[in-house]
Amino acid sequence: MTINFKKLSEKAVQPVRTANSGAGFNLTALGVQTDINERGQVVLVYHTGIGVEIPEGYEATIRPVPSIVAKTIRMCDAPSLVMGGIDNEICVCFITTTDVVPAVYNNGDIIAQIVFNKIEIGRAHV
């Protein structure tokens, strides 16, 4: 299987799989913006500047990394299903879990992993 990543920004960090990175490719924060969801919660939207072409017969999900235990944020919809094409930027959203200044990721930090899984399609039995 070949994974094609595309840098959508000069500053983007190419996702890599290191010996201690687990099942996926590390995603690095390029920038962050804040938003407010329907419940009035602060949402941190981390940009990666990376697009991905998902190989035929596979799915891609975004999962939190172990360093999240030291933060006062949680990843929205973890694991998140990646949709779209290679020209669509992968963004990772987090909700703050505190009413004080949250401990968050900074630009250049590894914020999540993208993991690829083969899709096995069987027959439905009714």
Side-chain angles (χ1 to χ4, degrees):
M1 167 182 63
T2 301
I3 307 293
N4 294 316
F5 290 105
K6 181 178 180 182
K7 289 175 88 171
L8 304 174
S9 165
E10 290 179 7
K11 296 178 182 177
V13 176
Q14 183 74 17
V16 294
R17 197 156 178 253
T18 60
N20 63 347
S21 67
F25 293 79
N26 291 330
L27 295 173
T28 303
L30 179 64
V32 64
Q33 68 185 58
T34 57
D35 199 359
I36 304 293
N37 70 9
E38 294 174 357
R39 296 177 62 194
Q41 296 169 305
V42 174
V43 177
L44 302 173
V45 181
Y46 282 90
H47 294 266
T48 65
I50 295 292
V52 64
E53 180 179 50
I54 301 169
E56 184 70 31
Y58 285 81
E59 70 167 357
T61 57
I62 306 294
R63 300 179 186 180
V65 289
S67 62
I68 198 161
V69 300
K71 309 297 180 191
T72 52
I73 56 177
R74 67 175 170 82
M75 195 173 132
C76 301
D77 301 324
S80 298
L81 186 62
V82 177
M83 309 281 287
I86 197 160
D87 292 320
N88 295 332
E89 181 184 24
I90 297 170
C91 292
V92 185
C93 298
F94 295 86
I95 292 177
T96 59
T97 59
T98 181
D99 292 332
V100 297
V101 177
V104 299
Y105 291 112
N106 297 306
N107 289 346
D109 288 349
I110 295 170
I111 57 170
Q113 284 194 343
I114 184 168
V115 177
F116 298 88
N117 295 297
K118 187 162 182 56
I119 300 170
E120 298 291 337
I121 299 176
R123 296 180 188 220
H125 295 280
V126 180

